[in-house]
Amino acid sequence: MARVLRLAAAASSAVGPAVLFPRLQTPVPTVRAFVTRQPSHQVAGPVWNLGRLNHVAIAVPDLEKAKEFYKSVLGAQVSEAVPLPEHGVSVVFVNLGNTKVELLHPLGNNSPIAGFLQKNKAGGMHHICIEVDDIHAAVMDLKAKKIRSLSEEATVGAHGKPVVFLHPKDCGGVLVELEQA
């Protein structure tokens, strides 16, 4: 080890530190402030506003097991299972204070969640739900922007409020639910 150190010291004095450590001579880049610029083409502002994240929905193959995990292991406040036959699911809400996790389990084989679980046996994230202040204006604006929805108009969701689901192919691969705040 001492021999290696002597050789390194001799080499550095013979050729200089810049040859052995070229990065030492590289100038440090200047830190610049992040500046946002307005695009040259203005996009009209929406007549609706995006709100807070309402929930993240997770499809689960075993609703009781998932419910027990959030309640007993994580200590979360967990609702009772609520069947929603009109949507083909049973739901459990996990309250996280600032948002919720919605556990989804299929009611029957025709449930969209049954199809999801056939492809994802262990379950997984199904969609995210974001609140909007005017669901009808949002639907009209998004249609004009060529964002497809899974239904022509808003329907009543699990919280008893109007919702619309946006096509994942138009939303970066994520199924997005918009819910009237």
Side-chain angles (χ1 to χ4, degrees), residues 124-146:
M125 190 185 92
H126 184 261
H127 68 269
I128 63 169
C129 177
I130 304 170
E131 294 177 358
V132 296
D133 65 348
D134 186 337
I135 190 84
H136 300 293
V139 168
M140 297 302 292
D141 182 51
L142 292 167
K143 279 184 184 178
K145 292 176 178 171
K146 307 291 187 223

Side-chain angles (χ1 to χ4, degrees), residues 4 18 20 27 31 33 64 66 73 89-90 94 104 107 110 123 147 154 158 174:
V4 171
L20 288 177
V31 177
E64 284 305 313
V73 176
V89 296
S90 287
V94 180
L104 300 170
L107 273 179
N110 293 333
I147 304 297
V174 177

Side-chain angles (χ1 to χ4, degrees), residues 17-18 21-30:
F21 307 105
R23 289 183 156 204
L24 291 177
Q25 298 301 313
T26 305
V28 177
T30 307

Side-chain angles (χ1 to χ4, degrees), residues 10 15 77 133 172 176 179:
V15 294
Q77 244 183 356
D133 65 348
V176 176
E179 179 179 276

Side-chain angles (χ1 to χ4, degrees), residues 13 15 18 27 36 45 66 72-73 82 86 99 106 115 117-118 129 135 156 171 173-174 180:
S13 64
V15 294
T36 58
S72 298
V73 176
V82 176
E86 65 276 15
T99 191
L117 288 172
Q118 284 176 349
C129 177
I135 190 84
V156 176
C171 302
V174 177
Q180 178 68 48

Side-chain angles (χ1 to χ4, degrees), residues 29-171:
T30 307
V31 177
R32 297 186 181 168
F34 180 74
V35 178
T36 58
R37 294 193 171 103
Q38 293 295 327
S40 57
H41 60 284
Q42 291 291 325
V43 177
V47 293
W48 56 278
N49 293 302
L50 201 59
R52 71 179 189 93
L53 176 67
N54 183 282
H55 66 266
V56 174
I58 301 172
V60 297
D62 185 333
L63 191 58
E64 284 305 313
K65 184 176 177 181
K67 179 180 168 183
E68 197 57 32
F69 169 76
Y70 284 94
K71 184 177 181 179
S72 298
V73 176
L74 297 182
Q77 244 183 356
V78 179
S79 76
E80 292 301 317
V82 176
L84 299 172
E86 65 276 15
H87 296 285
V89 296
S90 287
V91 297
V92 166
F93 290 101
V94 180
N95 187 349
L96 301 177
N98 61 346
T99 191
K100 295 178 281 303
V101 171
E102 179 183 57
L103 303 175
L104 300 170
H105 185 73
L107 273 179
N109 294 332
N110 293 333
S111 167
I113 300 304
F116 181 89
L117 288 172
Q118 284 176 349
K119 295 175 190 170
N120 305 278
K121 301 288 185 208
M125 190 185 92
H126 184 261
H127 68 269
I128 63 169
C129 177
I130 304 170
E131 294 177 358
V132 296
D133 65 348
D134 186 337
I135 190 84
H136 300 293
V139 168
M140 297 302 292
D141 182 51
L142 292 167
K143 279 184 184 178
K145 292 176 178 171
K146 307 291 187 223
I147 304 297
R148 293 172 287 175
S149 62
L150 301 185
S151 61
E152 284 301 311
E153 55 190 48
T155 59
V156 176
H159 296 114
K161 297 179 178 181
V163 301
V164 66
F165 285 88
L166 305 179
H167 200 294
K169 288 185 179 175
D170 296 341
C171 302

